[in-house]
Amino acid sequence: MVTRSASASYAGLGKDGKGKISTQSGVLQDSNYGFGTRFEDGPGTNPEELIAAAHAGCFTMALAFALAGAGHQQGDLQTSAKVTLDKDGDGFTITRSALTLTGHVEGLDEAEFKRIADEAKAGCPVSKVLNCDITLETTFG
């Protein structure tokens, strides 16, 4: 139904290489990435940061639509995602995406908010594609 694209290039090899990443929408256009942006605090982005942004955005939108579908009309949602990259043998594995949600929805109690949020976490397309532990911490008020 919908296909989105991005591209990446890498000039040089290993730690000395420098990458550029771009998205179809142009939000990222030749954005820097490489060893320094992934494992240190160099300027630019990295795959885990982009996955975290995608997961936070996807989950928050899924929750907003689930809440609207349940008849709620007013609310505010803020989500952060922290993606963990751990050493795995000679390589690395994304082992966790920790979502932290703060929200307020008029006419909804905390237990129902948590239930709907858990369903949105499980149903969001990015959650479905991630092969890692996905946690959700909620603050309601």
Side-chain angles (χ1 to χ4, degrees):
M1 180 172 143
V2 175
T3 301
R4 301 290 183 224
S5 64
S7 61
S9 63
Y10 210 76
L13 301 176
K15 289 182 180 181
D16 295 329
K18 303 292 182 206
K20 300 281 186 187
I21 192 164
S22 300
T23 58
Q24 173 185 340
S25 68
V27 169
L28 296 178
Q29 188 66 43
D30 291 330
S31 296
N32 292 326
Y33 84 102
F35 183 87
T37 65
R38 196 170 197 182
F39 297 102
E40 298 169 351
D41 290 326
T45 191
N46 58 72
E48 292 72 34
E49 177 181 71
L50 297 172
I51 291 168
H55 201 195
C58 183
F59 163 73
T60 305
M61 183 180 278
L63 178 56
F65 274 78
L67 290 163
H72 301 283
Q73 298 176 359
Q74 296 293 320
D76 294 300
L77 307 170
Q78 297 84 37
T79 306
S80 67
K82 292 182 179 178
V83 169
T84 302
L85 182 69
D86 283 323
K87 188 82 169 121
D88 183 15
D90 290 338
F92 294 88
T93 299
I94 292 173
T95 57
R96 180 180 178 137
S97 181
L99 299 169
T100 301
L101 166 66
T102 300
H104 173 78
V105 179
E106 291 182 23
L108 185 64
D109 67 33
E110 187 171 0
E112 185 67 2
F113 177 74
K114 176 79 170 125
R115 183 191 68 75
I116 295 171
D118 284 337
E119 289 177 1
K121 178 188 79 148
C124 127
V126 173
S127 290
K128 290 178 180 180
V129 77
L130 292 175
N131 185 22
C132 65
D133 181 36
I134 299 172
T135 61
L136 174 60
E137 178 182 318
T138 61
T139 303
F140 183 78

